[in-house]
């Protein structure tokens, strides 16, 4: 069983695909346009995406490029045209597989199982270690001195971002852009999350162990000496 996001504007096709996936015990979500799909993928990452290339808001290859900008989720593109050059281009642009419409439920299911199998057997993304802190980026788990940390999604993203840049000062502006994906915003948002993260790491701003504030610049994660 997997969570599959079906991106298709044609209601008839969409419900047919949903029905097929549902019958095979997958958890299915759907979106009718590329922007809704991007929101879904960033907020509740699915295990795989079936992406129709003829969407009302974005051209298929543009939609694929934007999905790849935010996620490595397996994507099967569904196209009405059996155009080899186009399909090769999409595979090169990051699609994992393709289906030419109309396709059967069995065909869809076989392709989906294959991309899921490949994704699951892929080597796990790196594990970051800073002193007694271990951040497993793939499983989104973190532990300190062997004890699991219970972090919110944002706290985890923040910790992982800093751990990947250990011993380097990261500016608030960079955190805002890379962790919050905002081009501008309030430093307080970051400070609040940093203070929550500090508490979970069992330290405080006045007695830091891992998280060091560099006044006026940003923050640095480094192992206690
Ligand atoms: Ca369409």
């Amino acid at each position: 069983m997997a969570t599959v996001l079906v991106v298709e504007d044609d209601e008839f096709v969409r419900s047919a695909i949903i029905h097929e996936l549902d019958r095979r015990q997958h958890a299915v979500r759907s979106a009718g346009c590329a922007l809704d799909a991007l929101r879904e993928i960033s907020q509740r990452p699915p295990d795989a995406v079936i992406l129709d290339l003829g969407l009302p808001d974005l051209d298929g290859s543009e939609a694929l490029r934007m999905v790849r900008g935010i996620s490595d989720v397996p994507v099967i593109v569904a196209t009405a045209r059996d155009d080899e050059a186009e399909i090769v281009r999409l595979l090169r642009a990051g699609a994992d597989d393709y289906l030419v419409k109309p396709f059967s439920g069995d065909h869809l299911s076989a392709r989906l199982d294959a991309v899921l199998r490949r994704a699951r057997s892929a080597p796990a993304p790196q594990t970051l270690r800073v002193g007694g802190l271990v951040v497993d980026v793939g499983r989104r788990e973190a532990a300190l001195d062997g004890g699991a940390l219970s972090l919110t999604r944002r706290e985890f993203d923040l910790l992982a971002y800093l751990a990947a840049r250990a011993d380097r000062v990261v500016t608030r502006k960079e955190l805002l852009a890379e962790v919050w994906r905002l081009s501008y915003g309030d430093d307080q948002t970051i400070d609040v999350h940093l203070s929550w993260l500090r508490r979970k790491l069992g330290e405080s701003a006045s007695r830091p162990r891992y998280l060091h504030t560099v006044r006026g610049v940003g923050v640095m994660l480094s192992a206690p000496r």
Side-chain angles (χ1 to χ4, degrees):
M1 192 201 116
T3 303
V4 183
L5 176 65
V6 177
V7 190
E8 170 64 68
D9 59 319
D10 183 317
E11 259 176 65
F12 178 76
V13 177
R14 188 169 66 217
S15 54
I17 296 176
I18 291 173
H19 175 75
E20 287 296 339
L21 296 175
D22 200 44
R23 214 159 63 81
R24 290 168 168 86
Q25 319 296 323
H26 293 303
V28 191
R29 299 205 304 266
S30 67
C33 65
L35 294 181
D36 283 351
L38 289 165
R39 192 174 312 125
E40 274 288 319
I41 292 166
S42 66
Q43 290 175 358
R44 298 190 295 163
D47 298 314
V49 176
I50 315 279
L51 177 68
D52 170 38
L53 293 178
L55 294 171
D57 53 345
L58 281 182
D59 160 55
S61 52
E62 181 72 359
L64 178 62
R65 199 179 59 79
M66 291 183 74
V67 169
R68 278 290 164 261
I70 58 168
S71 169
D72 291 326
V73 65
V75 175
I76 299 176
V77 291
T79 168
R81 288 189 300 157
D82 191 359
D83 178 344
E84 194 181 301
E86 168 77 357
I87 289 166
V88 167
R89 202 166 57 79
L90 289 162
L91 292 171
R92 291 220 165 105
D96 292 271
D97 207 343
Y98 69 95
L99 284 162
V100 176
K101 292 180 186 175
F103 47 81
S104 68
D106 283 343
H107 196 159
L108 164 67
S109 175
R111 295 280 170 124
L112 180 63
D113 289 348
V115 297
L116 288 169
R117 208 163 44 232
R118 284 205 294 274
R120 283 169 184 162
S121 64
Q126 70 195 121
T127 297
L128 305 164
R129 286 169 213 278
V130 183
L133 187 65
V134 179
V135 181
D136 185 331
V137 179
R139 304 173 76 149
R140 297 187 61 83
E141 289 169 2
L144 178 62
D145 300 331
L149 294 170
S150 167
L151 303 176
T152 64
R153 184 183 169 82
R154 189 75 83 186
E155 287 161 359
F156 181 86
D157 289 344
L158 181 59
L159 182 64
Y161 190 85
L162 293 170
R165 291 155 188 80
D167 300 319
R168 206 196 93 188
V169 180
V170 178
T171 64
R172 286 185 167 74
K173 194 173 173 212
E174 181 178 342
L175 289 175
L176 205 58
E178 299 299 326
V179 179
W180 272 262
R181 305 244 169 243
L182 295 171
S183 52
Y184 65 91
D186 193 348
D187 278 1
Q188 247 191 324
T189 309
I190 291 169
D191 291 336
V192 167
H193 280 86
L194 281 171
S195 85
W196 288 338
L197 188 54
R198 270 205 178 94
R199 200 174 312 159
K200 291 191 179 171
L201 294 175
E203 58 183 68
S204 64
S206 55
R207 303 191 62 180
R209 286 181 70 227
Y210 285 87
L211 278 176
H212 302 267
T213 303
V214 182
R215 206 170 290 277
V217 185
V219 62
M220 180 173 76
L221 184 93
S222 58
R225 293 177 203 283

